[in-house]
Every structure is written in C-alpha cells, then in structure tokens.
Amino acid sequence: MPDPKALRSLLARYADLRIAAPANDENRRALDDVTYTLCVTTATSTIEDALERADAMLVGGAKATAAAVPPPATGAPAVPAPSHESAQPRDDSGVTLVA
C-alpha cells in the first residue's frame, strides 16, 4: 500500500490541475503526469479506477490504523514484566542486582 501522505498529495495535485482546466501544454503535461502516477500507484489503468481505489486505500488504511492502536492504558501492565528472580548477581561485577 502506498504511503497515505503521498497518495493524498497526488490526489490534491490532480484536483488542483483539474480545477485549473489546463489551458497550456505545461499544465496538460502536469495533469498527464499526475494521472499516470495515480494509476501506477493504485495499480489501475484509468483515472476513474485510480481515484476510486485511492479513496478505498485511504479509508481502508485509516481503519487498519485505528484497529492497530491499542486500547487506552488502565494502569495495569498489559503484559507482565519479565521476572528477574532467576538472574544471579556476579560476585566479580561489583553491582548488586535488586529484583
């Protein structure tokens, strides 16, 4: 999946160029370039499909990110801390281990 920031940037650039209604060759080339890049990024062959897939990727990515966020902490550790009881201090280290 492409980086959501990059995908949003491409969509914004495409929208800006479409709104500007390319009146010269430079703007037409820029619109062609961003259209091509959106199609490649979304693995589609038409801009209509690319826009639809980009929207789905951004919505799907937001859902996946939301699902990956852990629930708020309740004060108790979710995973118990490893016990250091089995660790034996070395006599020659000069350090006393406290469990």
Side-chain angles (χ1 to χ4, degrees), residues 19-82:
I19 290 169
N24 60 38
D25 287 341
E26 183 180 340
N27 286 348
R28 272 194 278 291
R29 276 193 301 276
L31 181 60
D32 288 346
D33 287 347
V34 76
T35 298
Y36 173 81
T37 305
L38 272 168
C39 288
V40 169
T41 302
T42 58
T44 58
S45 58
T46 66
I47 189 60
E48 293 81 11
D49 291 342
L51 295 173
E52 187 176 322
R53 175 120 1 121
D55 286 342
M57 288 174 157
L58 291 173
V59 169
K63 286 180 183 176
T65 301
V69 175
T74 60
V79 177

